[in-house]
Amino acid sequence: MPVVTLKNGPDAPLGNDYCDYCHQPKNSLSCNPPELLVITVEELENAVRSGCKTCYFRYCAIGTFYASPETQVQFSQLRHFTFDNSIFYEIFRVPGVGDTEFSMISEGSMLPGNTRSEQTFWSIETWIQECLSEHEKCSVSFQSSYFPRRVLDVRNDKLALREDLDETRYACLSHCWGPSQSPIRTLTTTIDDFKRDIPWPSLSKTFQDAVDICRRLLIDYIWIDSLCIIQDSVQDWDTESMKMADIYENAYLTIAATKSVDGTGGCYGSTDPDTIYCRPVVENVVYCRKKPPEFNQFYRQRDWPLLSRAWVYQEMRLSPRILHFGSDEALWQCRTCRRSESRSNNSDAPTTLTYNDRYVAASDLLGWYNTVYEYSHLALTFEKDRFAALAAIAQREAASRNPDDKFLLGLWKNTLLYDLLWQVVPHQQLQGRGDLNAPTWTWASVMSRVTWPQLGKNEDLKLLGCTNLRYTDIQYTGSSYLGRHEKAVLHLRGPLIATTLTKIGHTGFRGLSDGHYELRLGDLRFLPVHQADYNLSTHSRPTIDTNSEVYFLPIAIQTSITFNVLGLVLIHTEAGPSSDPEYERIGMMSIQAIEDSPSVPPHPVLVAGFETTYTRLVSYLSSRSTVDMKLI
């Protein structure tokens, strides 16, 4: 295909002042171009000939690429473009140049090509000094005298494990252990040797790079989990893992090997040549290049694999300053801003939901619900670590709650009925139950991402009052935050409404048998909308099939334009004759109130009729006999 070239300069014709293609004024570079413009190379040439300066700018941006006239180009404002929705290019201007004429173009910096470079470390030192001297939100932890029990001493070209030092400044390493789970580890048999010397060749590439980074930044000590916790001592592991919040929250810096899936990947990386190569758009002022990977903690985990790991969540959440080493560039993330070598990932509002925010729980429930929503889909090598990897966050959450509140395997005693209303995020492939042996009433019993009905919505949720918590019976082995337990039973009292499943497929149950559905009040009935917790057809205990009898336990009413009754779908399990009946949770259900009369078609009950409907519903439920039950 021929190279796109400008045959003649844009001779602006008389007449129409607006471009027929981008609909912007022809005589100046648009300050507000359309968010999306899809145009062929031939159409772009025609726009240039008509005198459109904005399209001329676009034409210059693609001018060194091979493209046929019929090739489509998709532009996002004057910032990005792509030929195939696979590779994206960004347009940027040199900092401090073209501020007036090209103010709509974001600034960018050319990359050095390797994150080991002196230029990279000049940027890092600049970010650190800016944070130390200018960021009020980031200065809090520098006043702390906390120091971990064990650290690695990297001074004097040696490496040794030290204990009980009276120091104040250290770094942490955030890294992926990898599938082999084989980074060098401190064991009861090696700790004495490591206190004398840790051989450099025994370190993984990631550990070697982390030590090198510390030395170049004049940081004398670093905390690395596999070396600073005795890995074959349950007592030491339990003790030190409960200090994670303090360790990461008080670190001078957390070094993150964000690009690597295991210890062989290291911290340092070489930039993609297409990202290094900057094609001139306006000589010495504006350039374009392949866009560096976008930094997003939730949706770009292919480019930043460290962020897909559950253990890393609390490290990112609690660390006040994080130095990410990506495949193409280094990034800085603190409580005030985010900075990147390319400037493509710069932001003065660095947090996405609740990352890197010095943990302060919200005064309502949404703080914890956001945490679980963000955490629940992240990957664990060992399912047994589901609670341990969140223990530091749970500790900080507990400190913000009333002293009598208790952590109950991912839920909280004082908000338990609200917390029970978790559900698997709709429209995702349902997984099985986890191997954690967690009770069915906690979100940790499933291997899917979970949310709560009220999360992210301005909707009121009101408990019905017909279902109550009698007491809890949970017997832990160790700290409650680590989640190891011998028994976990909730004793509830409430009305159970019997019904049956009508269809079971790979995504669980679809509907309830209307003929067996008892919740109907005169001309008022309820339309069930529910979500299975897991794939019922392959992972249920006991086996659930079509026409299996299940029970609806109503808990709350949610109001928006209409109102819904929310509750749990339970299945009965075998129990001793003298015991309260036992039930397992298999899903969460929302039932929408429907007006159903001969004179009008069925339609949702609006909030205007809420008080009347609510009164009738509560009266109906109060009249039903309640059951003392165990939820296991």
Side-chain angles (χ1 to χ4, degrees), residues 188-405:
T188 53
T189 56
T190 61
I191 185 169
D192 290 335
D193 290 337
F194 286 177
K195 289 178 181 179
R196 290 187 291 270
D197 178 64
I198 300 176
W200 183 259
S202 67
L203 298 180
S204 68
K205 188 174 187 299
T206 295
F207 288 6
Q208 291 179 349
D209 288 351
V211 170
D212 182 64
I213 292 163
C214 284
R215 288 171 174 167
R216 295 176 71 174
L217 296 177
L218 304 180
I219 299 172
D220 293 338
Y221 305 100
I222 184 170
W223 188 92
I224 300 177
D225 51 5
S226 66
L227 289 169
C228 295
I229 300 175
I230 303 174
Q231 296 297 313
D232 61 348
S233 169
V234 174
Q235 180 180 357
D236 191 74
W237 195 92
D238 285 359
T239 300
E240 295 302 309
S241 65
M242 292 303 295
K243 300 176 182 176
M244 290 285 197
D246 289 330
I247 290 171
Y248 280 94
E249 207 166 51
N250 291 289
Y252 175 79
L253 180 67
T254 293
I255 298 165
T258 317
K259 76 178 185 69
S260 297
V261 298
D262 59 29
T264 65
C267 296
Y268 298 131
S270 297
T271 309
D272 185 331
D274 287 337
T275 303
I276 299 174
Y277 177 47
C278 297
R279 304 165 185 259
V281 178
V282 178
E283 196 69 41
N284 299 323
V285 180
V286 181
Y287 294 86
C288 69
R289 65 180 167 201
K290 182 181 176 183
K291 190 176 185 295
E294 180 182 353
F295 185 81
N296 187 301
Q297 287 119 172
F298 298 102
Y299 306 111
R300 300 291 296 179
Q301 292 172 350
R302 179 189 62 185
D303 297 316
W304 314 91
L306 178 70
L307 302 180
S308 68
R309 307 302 302 176
W311 271 106
V312 172
Y313 177 79
Q314 62 186 8
E315 300 167 9
M316 298 294 102
R317 186 76 184 270
L318 296 170
S319 298
R321 290 157 297 278
I322 306 168
L323 181 57
H324 293 278
F325 281 86
S327 56
D328 285 66
E329 62 175 339
L331 291 92
W332 172 268
Q333 189 178 19
C334 65
R335 291 171 182 149
T336 301
C337 67
R338 185 174 66 232
R339 296 289 180 258
S340 60
E341 291 186 87
S342 66
R343 301 194 181 210
S344 300
N345 283 298
N346 283 12
S347 173
D348 290 326
T351 60
T352 302
L353 293 182
T354 49
Y355 262 65
N356 191 229
D357 63 349
R358 189 167 188 90
Y359 190 78
V360 178
S363 58
D364 56 23
L365 298 173
L366 299 188
W368 180 251
Y369 294 167
N370 259 327
T371 294
V372 176
Y373 171 76
E374 294 169 10
Y375 173 79
S376 55
H377 77 296
L378 298 175
L380 279 166
T381 301
F382 301 110
E383 195 69 19
K384 66 180 179 61
D385 292 339
R386 177 64 64 90
F387 292 116
L390 195 62
I393 297 292
Q395 286 176 288
R396 289 296 181 260
E397 173 74 18
S400 72
R401 289 178 171 243
N402 290 333
D404 66 337
D405 210 350

Side-chain angles (χ1 to χ4, degrees), residues 573-619:
T573 63
E574 297 299 326
S578 61
S579 172
D580 291 339
E582 291 184 352
Y583 295 87
E584 289 187 356
R585 171 184 162 140
I586 61 171
M588 202 283 284
M589 184 164 66
S590 168
I591 53 176
Q592 185 181 71
I594 301 293
E595 296 282 5
D596 188 11
S597 67
S599 58
V600 293
H603 60 280
V605 175
L606 301 179
V607 170
F610 169 75
E611 288 300 332
T612 300
T613 305
Y614 176 75
T615 301
R616 293 165 62 196
L617 178 61
V618 170
S619 175

Side-chain angles (χ1 to χ4, degrees), residues 480-521:
S480 63
Y481 298 111
L482 297 179
R484 293 194 292 266
H485 62 280
E486 294 179 345
K487 186 179 183 181
V489 181
L490 300 183
H491 292 260
L492 303 174
R493 175 178 294 145
L496 288 176
I497 301 169
T499 186
T500 56
L501 301 178
T502 58
K503 181 179 180 181
I504 298 176
H506 69 281
T507 57
F509 56 89
R510 299 292 195 180
L512 294 180
S513 172
D514 194 55
H516 293 275
Y517 204 139
E518 298 180 5
L519 189 54
R520 188 178 183 112
L521 306 176

Side-chain angles (χ1 to χ4, degrees), residues 43-75:
E43 290 170 334
L44 202 55
E45 279 188 322
N46 292 336
V48 169
R49 293 193 185 96
S50 76
C52 178
K53 290 190 175 182
T54 302
C55 286
Y56 176 62
F57 181 87
R58 295 188 180 99
Y59 203 99
C60 291
I62 67 168
T64 58
F65 291 88
Y66 288 87
S68 60
E70 64 272 13
T71 299
Q72 272 196 341
V73 191
Q74 180 176 303
F75 288 91

Side-chain angles (χ1 to χ4, degrees), residues 88-107:
F88 290 82
Y89 299 89
E90 69 173 357
I91 302 169
F92 68 96
R93 63 182 171 89
V94 176
V97 180
D99 295 14
T100 303
E101 184 179 3
F102 300 103
S103 60
M104 74 294 296
I105 308 298
S106 299
E107 289 186 340

